[in-house]
Amino acid sequence: MLDFVIILLFILGGAGVGFDIVELLPSSVQEQITNLEALRWILASFTAIIGFAVGLTVQVTYRRLEKQVRQLPIEVILTRAVGLVLGLLLANLMLAPIFFLPFPSEFAFIKPLAAILGSVMFAFLGISLADTHGRTFLRLINPNSLDTMLVAEGTLKPAASKVLDTSCIIDGRIEELLNTGFVEGQLLIPQFVLQELQQLADAANDQKRIRGRRGLDILKAMQTAYPERLIIHPADYEDIQTVDAKLVRFTQEINGTLLTNDYNLSKVANLQKVPVLNVNDLAHAVRPIYLPGDSLELKILKEGKEPSQGVGYLDDGTMVVVEEGRNHLGAEMRVVVTSALQTSAGRMIFARPQASVAA
């Protein structure tokens, strides 16, 4: 019903404008028209069609806006409304002196123009600030909210900021972790890490140059995807020479967590009581664990040490030795795990073809 009313109002409004627009014509032109009434109805019909098109556009826009508003959380609507009101109030207070200034009649248009422009600018500024700091504003209004009380009593811990080192950026897996949502909190890139990446990108050695440019490209992609979470921090320490030592010092000062895949840096940071998240440790931790009796699809890539053995590899590089697999070189087959062995070189899985197990 509302859609019909909106379109009908625009049709009637357009028809009314077209019907009365004849009065705006000069008298000399009206005298030359033999049938003013016919012209009125023609113009009314034409402007009614325009009104229908405009009304349809307004109706579609209104429904889209209504759908977006319904999907917004109530706290976002509340903070944006407060931001809008505060922005308009500030605009009126700042623009009030302009209306008391004497302007020549030729420049009288400046006052309403300044009022419209200032109101729009400060309204958008208020909404933008509400989106950025709305949650903090709600906590000021209601300091006894559930999450505030949980943080105060220690039950809920805020996410610590993560400090990225050079190797972790170049590795690239941090970007995938961000996309999956497993990494929380702010991501800090100290200025000295950015300088090290730039030095690598400018190096004469081809391998170092490729690694440096890859790191800068990954950093740029993450900054584009997560502009509010990725921060370049200007901190630096002139009295410390190595980048690793600077990273440990910086992470200590901000009570953050060091994110790296450098084994030696992880050990040094752990010795200095700095929390460390090692990407390699995470990769090892999430590797699939196959127990005896589990089946999997495997491609036999080469012969094993024993006459009847074939060897394949899982996606994470784990070697699978398949008894009676030599005859299936280059083929994919379903195998059943018989045992697993952890060695100094890694994990090894032993399996047999499912057909032979079933037999």
Side-chain angles (χ1 to χ4, degrees), residues 70 100 107 180 189-190 237 273 314:
R70 285 183 176 180
F100 292 101
F107 299 98
T180 56
I189 314 295
Y237 305 95
K273 307 300 182 183
L314 301 179

Side-chain angles (χ1 to χ4, degrees), residues 82 160 167 247 249 328 332:
V82 173
S167 63
L247 277 168
R249 172 80 171 274
H328 301 278
E332 289 192 7

Side-chain angles (χ1 to χ4, degrees), residues 44-58:
S45 302
F46 180 71
T47 52
I49 295 174
I50 297 176
F52 171 76
V54 174
L56 190 62
T57 304
V58 172

Side-chain angles (χ1 to χ4, degrees), residues 198-213:
Q198 184 178 0
Q199 290 174 1
L200 288 173
D202 295 335
N205 185 285
D206 290 342
Q207 188 174 2
K208 289 184 178 180
R209 186 165 60 249
I210 292 173
R211 286 170 55 83
R213 290 179 180 177

Side-chain angles (χ1 to χ4, degrees), residues 159-160 162 173-185 187 226 229 259 277 279 282 286:
K162 310 298 187 299
R173 285 177 291 180
I174 180 61
E175 184 178 7
E176 298 300 326
L177 286 175
L178 278 176
N179 294 335
T180 56
F182 280 101
V183 177
E184 298 179 338
L187 302 177
Y226 306 95
R229 294 186 59 188
L259 198 59
L277 293 178
V279 180
L282 176 62
V286 298

Side-chain angles (χ1 to χ4, degrees), residues 271-293:
L271 289 174
Q272 300 185 52
K273 307 300 182 183
V274 174
V276 178
L277 293 178
N278 193 307
V279 180
N280 290 331
D281 292 342
L282 176 62
H284 287 299
V286 298
R287 286 189 306 176
I289 298 176
Y290 292 99
L291 300 175

Side-chain angles (χ1 to χ4, degrees), residues 180-306:
T180 56
F182 280 101
V183 177
E184 298 179 338
Q186 295 286 347
L187 302 177
L188 302 181
I189 314 295
Q191 187 67 37
F192 50 85
V193 170
L194 195 60
Q195 291 174 355
E196 186 179 31
L197 281 174
Q198 184 178 0
Q199 290 174 1
L200 288 173
D202 295 335
N205 185 285
D206 290 342
Q207 188 174 2
K208 289 184 178 180
R209 186 165 60 249
I210 292 173
R211 286 170 55 83
R213 290 179 180 177
R214 169 181 164 80
L216 291 175
D217 291 340
I218 291 172
L219 204 57
K220 180 62 178 177
M222 290 193 299
Q223 191 177 46
T224 302
Y226 306 95
E228 297 181 355
R229 294 186 59 188
L230 194 68
I231 299 174
I232 306 298
H233 200 283
D236 201 353
Y237 305 95
E238 299 295 336
D239 56 326
I240 302 177
Q241 300 300 321
T242 64
V243 174
D244 287 356
K246 291 181 179 181
L247 277 168
V248 174
R249 172 80 171 274
F250 176 68
T251 309
Q252 283 178 324
E253 290 185 352
I254 68 169
N255 292 323
T257 300
L258 181 60
L259 198 59
T260 181
N261 60 3
D262 189 324
Y263 177 81
N264 294 326
L265 178 58
S266 299
K267 291 300 181 183
V268 172
N270 285 326
L271 289 174
Q272 300 185 52
K273 307 300 182 183
V274 174
V276 178
L277 293 178
N278 193 307
V279 180
N280 290 331
D281 292 342
L282 176 62
H284 287 299
V286 298
R287 286 189 306 176
I289 298 176
Y290 292 99
L291 300 175
D294 292 343
S295 62
L296 55 98
E297 289 287 340
L298 185 71
K299 184 175 183 179
I300 308 300
L301 298 176
K302 63 180 183 179
E303 299 177 352
K305 292 183 178 180
E306 299 298 327

